[in-house]
Amino acid sequence: MALAPPLPDATADELAAMYKALADPTRIQMLHMLSAAEEPICVCDFTAAFDLGQPTVSHHLAKLKQAGFVDSFKRGVWAFYRLRDDMPKSARAALATIPR
Amino acid sequence: MALAPPLPDATADELAAMYKALADPTRIQMLHMLSAAEEPICVCDFTAAFDLGQPTVSHHLAKLKQAGFVDSFKRGVWAFYRLRDDMPKSARAALATIPR
DNA sequence: GCAAGGCATCGACAACTGTCAATGTATTTG
DNA sequence: CAAATACATTGACAGTTGTCGATGCCTTGC
C-alpha cells in the first residue's frame, strides 16, 4: 500500500513547537498547577514552588505563553498567569494528557 | 486557596521525556505515517520520505522507540517499525493529538 | 520624589540535540 | 568467499535550551 500523504510541513512544525513547550518538567508542573487552580497564579507563587531563580521561572512562563497555553495580566505589582480560555484546539488536546 | 499538590517529580520527568520525543517535525511525520499505515514501515521508506541522511532517520526512529511509541523487528535485510500495540497510556493519549 | 519590591530582559555558559560523514555489522546474492 | 545492500553506531559540529547573575522597568508606600 502506498504511504499516506504527509502532514503539511507547517502543521508538523507547529505541533513540534507545541510539544517542545511541554518538553520540560517545570513547565509540566506549571500547567498542572494552573489546571488544578480555580484562580490565576502569581509569578511569586511559582517562584516559591520551584527551586529555581526568578528569571528562570519567568522564562518558562514566557514559553508557555508563546506556545498558546497561558496568558497573563498584571494587577498592581504582581503578574498573574492562567490557562487561556481560548486555547488552540491542539493545545487543549495536549493539555488534557497531563494528569489533574 | 492553597496550591494543588505538585505531580511527583518522576511523573513530571517522564511526561517531559515523552513530549521531548514528540518535539520534532520529522518524528511527528513518522508517527503520522505509522498511524495511517496498516502495516509496519521499512526504514528505507522513511529514508525515501524525508530529505535526511540514513543515520539521521535511524536516530529519530531510535528516539521514538526509546520513548515507547514504536517497536521494530528485522526481516531479512530490512528493519520495520510499527506503533506499539501495548503503548504506555500517556503515549497513546499524546499520539491521539496528532492529526490522522 | 525616593526607596523597595515584583517581574521581565539581557548576557553568559554548560548541556543537550539534530545533522552529517565515516565506519561497523548482518544478511543476501553471485 | 566476495561483493553489495540495509541498517546501526560513532564522532564531530553547529544550533538550541535551561539556568544563573546582573540589570532595567513599573508600581506601591513612605
Side-chain angles (χ1 to χ4, degrees), chain A residues 7 12 15-16 19, chain B residues 22 24-32 98:
Chain A
L7 293 171
L15 285 171
Y19 290 125
Chain B
L22 297 178
D24 181 279
T26 299
R27 293 196 288 269
I28 297 282
Q29 291 284 12
M30 285 172 160
L31 290 176
H32 173 70
I98 297 180

Side-chain angles (χ1 to χ4, degrees), chain B residues 69-84:
Chain B
F69 287 100
V70 307
D71 63 358
S72 66
F73 61 93
K74 296 202 64 170
R75 192 162 54 200
V77 186
W78 299 279
F80 291 86
Y81 285 75
R82 62 186 164 197
L83 296 183
R84 275 181 59 175

Side-chain angles (χ1 to χ4, degrees), chain B residues 17-85:
Chain B
M18 184 190 71
Y19 289 124
K20 219 181 309 188
L22 297 178
D24 181 279
T26 299
R27 293 196 288 269
I28 297 282
Q29 291 284 12
M30 285 172 160
L31 290 176
H32 173 70
M33 290 168 66
L34 288 169
S35 296
E38 299 291 327
E39 301 169 11
I41 298 180
C42 175
V43 173
C44 60
D45 288 330
F46 288 117
T47 303
F50 300 103
D51 195 23
L52 293 171
Q54 172 265 315
T56 302
V57 170
S58 278
H59 168 76
H60 285 304
L61 289 169
K63 289 225 164 184
L64 291 176
K65 189 173 184 175
Q66 151 98 33
F69 287 100
V70 307
D71 63 358
S72 66
F73 61 93
K74 296 202 64 170
R75 192 162 54 200
V77 186
W78 299 279
F80 291 86
Y81 285 75
R82 62 186 164 197
L83 296 183
R84 275 181 59 175
D85 55 350

